[in-house]
Amino acid sequence: NSKSLFSKTKVAFSTTKNFAVKNRLTLTFKSILNSRKILVLLQNKPQVLSELKARTKTVKNFPALQLLKHKNLTIHYLAK
C-alpha cells in the first residue's frame, strides 16, 4: 500500500494480500527524504527507469518519483 509511504510518521504499519508476509512496516518518505544519501538499485526494470527519467506520471500514481526531490540521489541500473 503506497499510501503508507506518505504518512507523516517515520514508520507506518500496513497489510497486504499480495505477499506471503501479510503485515509490514514501511519506512515513510518523511524518513527516506531525511537521509543523507539515497541509493536506488534497479535490475531489469526498464519501465521504472523510463518513468523516473520521463516523469509522465504523478507522484500519486508513481510514488518513486518522490525520491527525485532528494539532493543526493544515485540510481544504478543493472541490465541482464
Side-chain angles (χ1 to χ4, degrees):
N1 180 338
S2 63
K3 183 178 178 182
S4 58
L5 285 168
F6 296 96
S7 172
K8 299 296 181 199
T9 62
K10 292 181 180 181
V11 177
F13 173 78
S14 63
T15 60
T16 183
K17 296 177 184 175
N18 299 330
F19 304 104
V21 177
K22 306 295 181 205
N23 298 317
R24 306 183 304 171
L25 287 177
T26 302
L27 192 60
T28 64
F29 279 127
K30 178 179 180 168
S31 291
I32 295 168
L33 294 176
N34 279 325
S35 300
R36 282 182 274 153
K37 183 172 186 164
I38 297 174
L39 174 62
V40 176
L41 304 174
L42 293 173
Q43 183 172 3
N44 298 318
K45 299 283 185 179
Q47 70 282 9
V48 173
L49 184 61
S50 294
E51 186 55 43
L52 287 171
K53 290 167 120 181
R55 303 179 201 184
T56 60
K57 298 180 183 177
T58 65
V59 170
K60 182 179 179 181
N61 294 333
F62 199 79
L65 290 173
Q66 187 81 0
L67 299 175
L68 299 177
K69 293 180 176 182
H70 198 276
K71 66 181 188 288
N72 198 3
L73 170 69
T74 303
I75 300 173
H76 287 280
Y77 182 77
L78 307 167
K80 269 191 172 177

